[in-house]
Amino acid sequence: MFIGRKQELQDLEALYARKDYEMVVIYGRRRVGKTSLIDEFVRGKQVLYVTALQQSSKLNLELFSQEVYRCFGIPEGTPGFADWRSALNYVVARAREVKAGTRKPFIFVFDEFPYAAQAEPALPSLLQIAIDHGFKNTPVMIILSGSNQGFMESEVLGSKSPLFGRRTAQIKLQPFDYYDAAQFLPKATATEKVEYYATFGGTPYYLERIDSAKSYRENVIDLVYSKLGMLSEEPMMLLREEMREPAIYYSAMQAIAAGSNTPKLIAERAGLEVSAIGKYLKSLMGLGLVKRLVPFGENPIKTRKSLYVVGDPFFAYWFRFVAPKASIIETGGGAALAKSSAFGEVFATYVGGQFEDVCRQWLVRKNVAEELPFVATGFGKWWGNDPAAHEQTDIDVVAANDDEKRIIIGECKWRNSFNETEAIDKLKARAGLVKGFPVDRTGFILFSKNRVSKPTLEHYRNDERMSLIAADDLYC
């Protein structure tokens, strides 16, 4: 069953409906669902579908030849193309037949294009010639896809690439948000869905590995804490595939997951020079594995208050709980380790941090659906000094419209019970801390794991500025 990606499918269908030359570049890190998206889009359509492999140019050309012959009805056993130029020229000739009306329209998909281009460095230039002198004048849609984000951004989309300016659209595919991720878990409770998201994130491949017949704990032990678990070494495998110096990136991410959140602290903990850490953080941010946070309202370029955190929930979980115990897992002690330490108070605190991100995503979804009191133009988190309380404090979630000077601030409580009155009073006391947003134009949301008590619900029933949102409400 295909899940999510409604907007991406709508965009692709809109391009296809133009019946003109299109070159769509689809990229994103491994396991994120690029091939599944393409497969769903081309379903029922005529398609020349080639998936390159990590092999020599000769073997990839043979593979290309086989797929071309299969698509256009050339008898098996026909010798393959002599070179890439001949192969592309043949496809261009078939595209011209589409324009002439003597052939049905087809889509040309070149999946994992970086594998073929790295084996044959001239391939981007040859494809550029085929586009400029052939495809551009035909109603054929080309889709180039790849998991190597660095290659796709520099050698396909980059200004120095032969293919620069030939693309008509691009999709950088991201992991699912908390809501779409939950569609893989139809039997789970809201609490379990948040825990699953905090553990496995929104990468489709990871979510597809979850066995709905097993409990959350059983799935985590089987997939992550077993030395044969399908995801037990996934983060390291991705770093090896994407990065030239995987050990350094591993060390940097381990430092961030352990709480080092400034370049200086990350470099010191990872054993790197402070002057060198910037390029590694930039690469990790490009992959979506690390994100830089600044207090809401601060200028991201000028502020010195930025913090770095692991940006993908699965990687955050893995580096926080699994990586430090890798040797135990390797000796077969992972299951016992997980049962004794992976689901306790430390884990609950970790989920609480991820719950904040889930709540921000909920605000974004409500904003898109035009269900907030105003159209928010910015989202985030705030931290800084509270002059009235004479202490450092933070605001878990923020949604605001800078032009209208309207803001919503929220507190997130991932606890079975807490002092609701105290939490709401503290939240209201933080109104006005974000500069430029007056108290009388501030709305409040208390997000909680469980529904608040009936007295609290009754007390705020008619308060238009106060919303009380439980985990169940996030999935409605």
Side-chain angles (χ1 to χ4, degrees):
M1 180 179 67
F2 185 78
I3 292 175
R5 309 301 189 198
K6 291 181 180 179
Q7 187 59 57
E8 290 87 350
L9 285 172
Q10 289 175 6
D11 293 342
L12 289 170
E13 290 291 354
L15 292 169
Y16 182 70
R18 292 178 184 176
K19 298 182 179 179
D20 200 353
Y21 161 78
E22 305 288 348
M23 189 181 92
V24 184
V25 177
I26 300 177
Y27 68 111
R29 70 173 192 251
R30 67 199 297 264
R31 316 292 205 190
V32 81
K34 299 178 297 297
T35 299
S36 294
L37 171 63
I38 295 170
D39 288 349
E40 183 67 16
F41 168 62
V42 303
R43 191 184 307 278
K45 300 179 177 72
Q46 181 72 19
V47 59
L48 165 58
Y49 203 131
V50 181
T51 301
L53 302 176
Q54 284 184 299
Q55 58 186 12
S56 69
S57 179
K58 179 178 181 294
L59 293 177
N60 271 322
L61 180 58
E62 290 178 0
L63 178 64
F64 189 96
S65 301
Q66 293 169 9
E67 296 303 326
V68 169
Y69 293 168
R70 182 180 295 113
C71 177
F72 297 113
I74 307 300
E76 290 186 15
T78 302
F81 295 106
D83 51 50
W84 282 103
R85 183 187 297 272
S86 301
L88 292 171
N89 284 344
Y90 181 89
V91 181
V92 167
R94 304 292 75 76
R96 286 175 176 149
E97 291 173 355
V98 174
K99 182 178 182 181
T102 58
R103 181 177 293 277
K104 292 181 179 180
F106 66 92
I107 300 169
F108 173 22
V109 175
F110 206 147
D111 196 11
E112 293 299 354
F113 180 73
Y115 291 156
Q118 288 170 334
E120 177 48 77
L123 186 55
S125 294
L126 294 172
L127 181 56
Q128 172 246 312
I129 294 170
I131 290 171
D132 290 350
H133 299 285
F135 287 120
K136 256 191 176 178
N137 298 314
T138 70
V140 167
M141 184 179 200
I142 302 172
I143 296 177
L144 296 185
S145 176
S147 298
N148 188 324
Q149 293 190 168
F151 183 95
M152 295 297 286
E153 289 175 346
S154 64
E155 304 303 320
V156 176
L157 298 171
S159 59
K160 295 182 180 180
S161 166
L163 293 170
F164 180 71
R166 273 72 183 180
R167 70 107 174 94
T168 59
Q170 66 189 64
I171 299 174
K172 184 175 183 179
L173 209 60
Q174 303 287 358
F176 288 130
D177 72 355
Y178 84 96
Y179 188 89
D180 282 341
Q183 295 185 49
F184 289 86
L185 310 163
K187 297 180 181 179
T189 65
T191 297
E192 290 169 338
K193 288 175 181 177
V194 173
E195 291 178 338
Y196 270 117
Y197 182 76
T199 305
F200 295 100
T203 300
Y205 178 83
Y206 305 160
L207 296 167
E208 288 168 349
R209 308 279 79 78
I210 295 171
D211 186 343
S212 61
K214 296 179 180 179
S215 69
Y216 164 79
R217 293 189 177 198
E218 289 171 331
N219 274 302
V220 172
I221 291 172
D222 289 349
L223 293 172
V224 181
Y225 284 92
S226 167
K227 66 178 181 179
L228 299 178
M230 295 186 70
L231 304 180
S232 63
E233 296 184 0
E234 174 68 13
M236 196 61 208
M237 289 172 61
L238 185 141
L239 292 177
R240 288 193 192 105
E241 181 174 294
E242 291 281 352
M243 306 302 192
R244 294 181 179 177
E245 302 170 287
I248 292 179
Y249 287 99
Y250 182 97
S251 300
M253 291 200 67
Q254 201 163 28
I256 297 170
S260 300
N261 49 32
T262 66
K264 183 176 184 297
L265 292 175
I266 296 167
E268 288 176 353
R269 188 161 190 140
L272 302 171
E273 294 293 331
V274 176
S275 59
I277 194 65
K279 69 175 183 178
Y280 296 111
L281 292 174
K282 183 178 179 180
S283 296
L284 289 169
M285 287 190 289
L287 283 175
L289 300 181
V290 166
K291 59 184 176 183
R292 175 177 177 255
L293 304 179
V294 300
F296 187 89
E298 293 277 343
N299 186 321
I301 298 175
K302 296 181 179 179
T303 186
R304 295 184 177 180
K305 297 180 181 179
S306 62
L307 301 175
Y308 290 86
V309 298
V310 180
D312 182 277
F314 176 67
F315 282 73
Y317 178 87
W318 193 88
F319 277 99
R320 174 67 181 82
F321 295 100
V322 182
K325 309 294 185 182
S327 60
I328 299 175
I329 295 171
E330 185 60 30
T331 59
L337 170 70
K339 290 174 183 177
S340 64
S341 62
F343 309 110
E345 291 184 11
V346 175
F347 172 69
T349 301
Y350 163 79
V351 176
Q354 295 296 328
F355 182 54
E356 292 180 14
D357 194 47
V358 167
C359 295
R360 279 189 287 272
Q361 293 178 33
W362 180 85
L363 283 169
V364 171
R365 277 187 164 267
K366 288 296 180 182
N367 193 54
V368 171
E370 300 182 15
E371 294 178 4
L372 294 183
F374 55 87
V375 177
T377 55
F379 302 86
K381 176 186 177 74
W382 182 90
W383 63 92
N385 182 54
D386 182 345
H390 304 288
E391 63 182 11
Q392 292 292 306
T393 189
D394 58 33
I395 301 172
D396 292 338
V397 294
V398 177
N401 184 306
D402 191 60
D403 294 331
E404 298 180 12
K405 302 304 177 185
R406 299 184 68 181
I407 190 170
I408 296 171
I409 63 174
E411 176 77 3
C412 305
K413 294 291 187 182
W414 190 255
R415 301 175 188 171
N416 289 327
S417 63
F418 59 95
N419 188 320
E420 297 166 2
T421 300
E422 181 183 351
I424 292 172
D425 287 345
K426 285 185 176 180
L427 175 62
K428 288 190 171 184
R430 291 169 187 153
L433 289 180
V434 182
K435 293 180 181 179
F437 295 92
V439 174
D440 62 356
R441 298 184 71 79
T442 300
F444 308 93
I445 301 181
L446 176 64
F447 294 95
S448 56
K449 179 179 181 179
N450 303 311
R451 201 164 300 284
V452 297
S453 65
K454 289 183 179 180
T456 300
L457 285 170
E458 187 61 32
H459 183 78
Y460 291 100
R461 185 178 302 280
N462 298 318
D463 188 340
E464 294 182 354
R465 294 174 62 190
M466 186 75 216
S467 297
L468 304 167
I469 306 296
D472 284 337
D473 300 320
L474 301 175
Y475 295 94
C476 294

